[in-house]
Amino acid sequence: MLSEISDDKRSLQGVLLLLVSLGVFFFASLILYAIYVVTRITPDAGPIIPFYVPPSFLLTTILLVTISILLHLSVLAARHQRLVDLHRYIVLALLLSLCFFVVQAIGLWWMIQQMLQPSETIKNLYGFTFFLVIVHALHVVGGVAGLIFLMFGLHRNSYDHERYFPVRFCAIYWHFLDVVWVVMLACFALAAYMSKIGVH
């Protein structure tokens, strides 16, 4: 029992190290995005066509937050030995994560259409935004893989109130994806606002 607790603590340290490194990557990418927005969306850059955030990104945000809530409830269910609830929450989180990809694909397609517009400055801004959204979506693929792993664990009855670290890890990872997405969305919204007022 003490050995399992010690292993969980080491695993948690590894998880936190992974998330810190990913956080640094996303933070650096968003700083570059902000610099690009400030330097390119200016009156000196020529005619400015407003930049818009895809409307579907709002639904994407709701889906991500809901998945995080479900996984938080999963951790609580495992901790209190409510295994039926644990199974239900994980299945719902997996289904919503698949919905995420459908909704995100709609938003990305909308952005591709906007990239076909004539303004080079705005086209590049959509391209940079598209890149960041794709990178985040690839990390969501990792989150979905984690949910599938949990499903196999549930099938083997691997989790109970003493052994549920994989559930906790998955929840922490999705919370991280949530925070990154909200910060990214705030940056996109700021870029949209700046493109409308045409200031640097």
Side-chain angles (χ1 to χ4, degrees):
M1 178 65 179
L2 290 176
S3 175
E4 287 182 3
I5 293 174
S6 179
D7 288 343
D8 284 353
K9 286 184 177 179
R10 282 195 295 271
S11 298
L12 181 59
Q13 290 172 350
V15 168
L16 294 178
L17 183 61
L18 169 67
L19 296 184
V20 166
S21 61
L22 289 176
V24 169
F25 167 76
F26 277 110
F27 182 69
S29 298
L30 290 174
I31 287 177
L32 290 175
Y33 183 84
I35 292 171
Y36 182 86
V37 169
V38 168
T39 57
R40 293 302 297 270
I41 302 182
T42 68
D44 297 334
I48 298 172
I49 299 174
F51 168 78
Y52 295 99
V53 179
S56 62
F57 281 5
L58 177 60
L59 181 54
T60 294
T61 306
I62 294 170
L63 286 170
L64 284 173
V65 170
T66 305
I67 293 168
S68 274
I69 292 171
L70 287 169
L71 289 173
H72 177 72
L73 293 174
S74 297
V75 172
L76 295 178
R79 189 176 296 160
H80 295 95
Q81 198 71 19
R82 293 187 280 110
L83 301 184
V84 173
D85 289 341
L86 172 63
H87 191 279
R88 182 184 299 117
Y89 294 142
I90 298 231
V91 168
L92 285 174
L94 180 58
L95 292 175
L96 289 180
S97 68
L98 299 178
C99 292
F100 165 88
F101 287 110
V102 174
V103 176
Q104 199 72 322
I106 294 170
L108 290 172
W109 177 250
W110 187 90
M111 291 178 65
I112 289 172
Q113 301 304 309
Q114 299 305 311
M115 279 190 276
L116 300 177
Q117 300 299 318
S119 171
E120 192 65 30
T121 299
I122 297 302
K123 183 187 298 184
N124 290 340
L125 183 54
Y126 276 113
F128 202 163
T129 306
F130 186 92
F131 167 76
L132 288 175
V133 173
I134 285 290
V135 170
H136 181 266
L138 290 175
H139 286 83
V140 173
V141 171
V144 173
L147 290 172
I148 293 172
F149 175 83
L150 291 183
M151 290 294 296
F152 282 111
L154 289 171
H155 182 70
R156 295 192 301 267
N157 296 317
S158 299
Y159 313 124
D160 56 31
H161 68 285
E162 293 180 344
R163 299 167 298 150
Y164 62 92
F165 182 77
V167 180
R168 188 179 176 200
F169 166 73
C170 202
I172 293 171
Y173 184 77
W174 277 93
H175 295 337
F176 169 79
L177 292 176
D178 247 8
V179 171
V180 169
W181 176 253
V182 169
V183 174
M184 284 174 59
L185 197 59
C187 290
F188 301 159
L190 182 59
Y193 173 74
M194 291 182 66
S195 76
K196 291 179 180 66
I197 64 174
V199 298
H200 56 76

